[in-house]
Amino acid sequence: MPGQGLAVILLRPGPQVLDFQDALLTALSPFTESGGTAAAFATDPGESISPGPKRPQ
């Protein structure tokens, strides 16, 4: 299409990054649960948490 360009940057994590990610997920997994409610999160006075995924604005 005239007047438009496309750029792609492809990054591949190195083995140290992947090892760190694996160790981090392994360390955190005992502390995770599914099915929680918004009551599990701290909020500022007057602030609420909307259910569902956060979408970019």
Side-chain angles (χ1 to χ4, degrees):
M1 297 175 83
Q4 294 187 4
L6 176 67
V8 176
I9 299 174
L10 177 63
L11 300 174
R12 294 191 179 151
Q16 289 177 322
V17 172
L18 295 175
D19 289 344
F20 175 74
Q21 182 182 30
D22 183 53
L24 182 62
L25 292 174
T26 299
L28 292 176
S29 65
F31 303 100
T32 61
E33 293 285 334
S34 63
T37 66
F41 297 92
T43 59
D44 289 329
E47 181 183 26
S48 64
I49 297 176
S50 301
K54 183 129 179 137
R55 298 180 186 201
Q57 296 180 2

